[in-house]
Amino acid sequence: MTADLTHIDTWLFDLDNTLYPEESGFMGSVEGRMTDFVAKVSGLPRDQAYALQKKYLAEHGLTLKGLMLNHGVDPADFHALFHDLSLEVLAQDPKLLIALAKLPGRRFIFTNADDKHAERVMAHLGLADLFDDVFHIHSFGFAPKPDPLGFHRMIEGHGMDPMATAFFEDSERNLKPAADLGMTTVLVGPRASASNADFVHHRTAKLTPFLSEARLKEAA
């Protein structure tokens, strides 16, 4: 069913596994380096380090937050792990670029990654000129999604009206605080159709056709 988004004038997108497909496998490379780092910092075998990595993610919304609190990790050292990752597996989607360009109003990235990672990925995908700003982990003071504090800081910083904002994410739990604030939520990715959460308003396996087919506010 075509989504009615005629009330939306602010478009908020997660970056990784949302503005490119999860099937690319890129985040697998990110996760692998992260596990190696957790093993080095904690001194645990790799399988136990992976379990700890996921524990911190579940508890804090971000593995880095757990590493900062429990191991004194410098965020700059952590983020540097990913700044030289090859982006070859990520391909530009010309139809997505067209669909994004047609969205009426402002467009923002809301990511738990840092600014350098976001800049690299956006430039590679041809997205850099399509967004008004990037709200990254430093922007909201390490209050990562799904922490409501990060959402409040973003809304205040950019003067957003949540009732006129649509938020696109591949992580179901990150959509709840957005829905609680009044945003229209869209779950993106291969597992979206299996979600039955009442705070998810729309579900789509693929972002491009969803945006291309949605009903939008007419230009003034």
Side-chain angles (χ1 to χ4, degrees):
M1 182 181 296
T2 300
D4 183 355
L5 300 177
T6 53
H7 61 296
I8 301 298
D9 62 16
T10 301
W11 306 85
L12 187 61
F13 293 86
D14 173 49
L15 178 59
D16 293 303
N17 283 354
T18 298
L19 284 169
Y20 60 81
E22 179 180 326
E23 299 91 308
S24 70
F26 177 69
M27 286 304 292
S29 299
V30 171
E31 188 171 65
R33 286 201 179 182
M34 195 181 303
T35 303
D36 291 339
F37 184 79
V38 174
K40 179 181 178 180
V41 168
S42 67
L44 294 171
R46 201 171 189 278
D47 59 339
Q48 294 180 34
Y50 180 77
L52 182 63
Q53 171 182 331
K54 293 303 181 182
K55 177 175 181 287
Y56 287 159
L57 177 64
E59 291 178 349
H60 304 288
L62 191 68
T63 298
L64 171 60
K65 190 70 176 286
L67 293 172
M68 291 168 63
L69 293 173
N70 296 288
H71 305 274
V73 166
D74 184 336
D77 293 338
F78 178 84
H79 288 307
L81 297 171
F82 315 112
H83 292 165
D84 65 346
L85 275 173
S86 172
L87 303 177
E88 289 183 2
V89 297
L90 300 179
Q92 287 194 15
D93 181 346
K95 291 183 179 180
L96 175 60
L97 300 183
I98 291 171
L100 289 169
K102 289 182 178 179
L103 296 177
R106 299 183 298 165
R107 308 175 206 109
F108 297 96
I109 299 289
F110 186 22
T111 176
N112 280 349
D114 76 331
D115 51 347
K116 179 67 176 295
H117 172 82
E119 290 168 3
R120 290 186 73 229
V121 172
M122 291 174 67
H124 183 80
L125 293 175
L127 299 168
D129 295 332
L130 293 175
F131 288 87
D132 294 85
D133 201 1
V134 177
F135 211 67
H136 52 81
I137 191 65
H138 297 284
S139 305
F140 43 88
F142 293 93
K145 298 176 289 184
D147 188 335
L149 179 59
F151 284 82
H152 285 289
R153 287 175 173 168
M154 178 188 59
I155 289 168
E156 292 169 3
H158 290 290
M160 294 180 179
D161 175 5
M163 300 299 292
T165 300
F167 182 35
F168 297 77
E169 252 279 3
D170 69 295
S171 172
E172 181 184 87
R173 71 173 186 163
N174 288 347
L175 293 175
K176 187 177 189 310
D180 289 344
L181 288 164
M183 294 183 186
T184 297
T185 60
V186 185
L187 184 60
V188 180
R191 292 173 297 281
S193 62
S195 169
N196 58 9
D198 59 4
F199 54 81
V200 175
H201 302 126
H202 301 284
R203 299 162 178 82
T204 182
K206 303 290 184 182
L207 181 60
T208 301
F210 179 88
L211 291 178
S212 300
E213 298 166 9
R215 292 174 56 199
L216 307 175
K217 180 184 294 187
E218 293 184 8

